[in-house]
Structure formats: C-alpha cells, structure tokens
C-alpha cells in the first residue's frame, strides 16, 4: 500500500524552511526601512544647512558693511531698508529684517548649534564673512568676500 501525503518530519522541515525564509525577508525589510529613515534625516540636515548658506549669500549680495558680536551677524543692506541680523535663538538660526521680529530659518525638527560668526579682511582691505555652525551635529561652513 502506498501512502499519500507528507510525514510529520517532512512537514516540520518545510515549516522550518518557510520560517527561515520569512524571517530573512522581515529582517531585510526592516533594514531597508531603517536605512531609508536615516537617509531622509541626512537629506533633511543637508537641506537645512544649504538653505542657511543660501540665505547668508543672499544677505551678503549687495551688502555695504558687516559686523559681528560673536553671537550675531549684522549685514547692512540699504536696498532692503537697513540691517539684516542673523543670530542663534532656541536652537534655530534666525533672520531679523528691519522693524520685524526675527524669523527662524530652520525647521524645528533640526537643531542648530555651535554658531560662530567672524568678519575679517585681507591685505587689500576686502572684508570677508565666515560662519560656521552645526545642524543636528553635521558641521557647515560658509565664507564670502564683500565686493
């Protein structure tokens, strides 16, 4: 008499192999989701730093003078009606326009820290502005000469 079907040992082997395949697939999916979240976070940090650099570049285009107190940068822009002020406040880089309250340049999800403003000049008395800061621990540096 021939028997049809699987023996208990065969069923256990198939269930074990299926479990290993499903476990590997779940582990791979979790790893992909983790790396996706990390990549999104790094892209966000890069976008925030790039946006701050672009705002600094915009403010210094057409600036007639700059000064710093160490914790803030004042950019004189007569074409915009006065002085633009960059500063660090509550973990965000802020920009204050003449007669307006400071507005944050960064999203609240990203912390800005270690902000240092400096103004220097080279041998030809051309002023330069340097700004270094960190967004969620990632360092950014900006430098521009006034024309």
């Amino acid at each position: 008499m021939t028997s049809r079907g699987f023996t208990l040992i065969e069923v256990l082997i198939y269930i074990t192999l299926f479990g290993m395949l499903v476990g590997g697939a779940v582990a791979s999916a979790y790893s992909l989701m983790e790396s996706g979240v990390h990549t999104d976070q790094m892209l966000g940090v890069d976008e925030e730093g790039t946006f701050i650099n672009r705002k600094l570049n915009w403010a210094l285009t057409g600036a007639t003078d700059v000064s710093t107190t160490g914790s803030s940068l004042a950019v004189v822009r007569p074409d915009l009606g006065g002085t633009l002020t960059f500063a660090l406040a509550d973990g965000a880089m802020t920009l204050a326009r003449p007669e307006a309250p400071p507005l944050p340049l960064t999203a609240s999800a990203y912390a800005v820290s270690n902000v240092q403003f400096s103004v220097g000049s080279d041998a030809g008395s051309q002023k330069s502005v340097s700004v270094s800061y960190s967004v969620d621990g990632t360092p950014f540096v900006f430098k521009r000469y006034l024309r």
Side-chain angles (χ1 to χ4, degrees):
M1 176 170 167
T2 63
S3 92
R4 295 175 171 243
F6 300 105
T7 64
L8 181 59
I9 298 294
E10 291 173 328
V11 169
L12 289 176
I13 290 172
Y14 294 141
I15 289 174
T16 302
L17 290 174
F18 181 73
M20 289 173 31
L21 287 173
V22 169
V26 169
S28 295
Y30 180 75
S31 177
L32 284 173
M33 288 189 296
E34 278 276 316
S35 66
V37 168
H38 180 70
T39 301
D40 286 346
Q41 178 71 15
M42 292 307 297
L43 285 173
V45 166
D46 189 52
E47 287 174 1
E48 294 293 319
T50 301
F51 183 76
I52 291 172
N53 284 351
R54 287 178 44 215
K55 278 298 182 186
L56 287 164
N57 191 46
W58 166 80
L60 292 169
T61 301
T64 57
D65 196 20
V66 292
S67 62
T68 182
T69 62
S71 62
S72 67
L73 175 70
V75 179
V76 179
R77 285 283 303 262
D79 58 328
L80 296 176
T83 303
L84 304 174
T85 305
F86 290 87
L88 177 66
D90 299 324
M93 181 78 76
T94 61
L95 171 60
R97 294 180 138 212
E99 300 178 18
L103 296 173
L105 294 178
T106 54
S108 60
Y110 302 97
V112 178
S113 60
N114 304 324
V115 177
Q116 294 181 349
F117 300 103
S118 64
V119 175
S121 59
D122 62 6
S125 72
Q126 186 177 21
K127 280 192 173 182
S128 67
V129 176
S130 297
V131 182
S132 64
Y133 58 96
S134 296
V135 178
D136 276 356
T138 302
F140 288 88
V141 177
F142 175 86
K143 184 168 186 170
R144 173 148 181 192
Y145 289 93
L146 295 184
R147 296 180 185 197

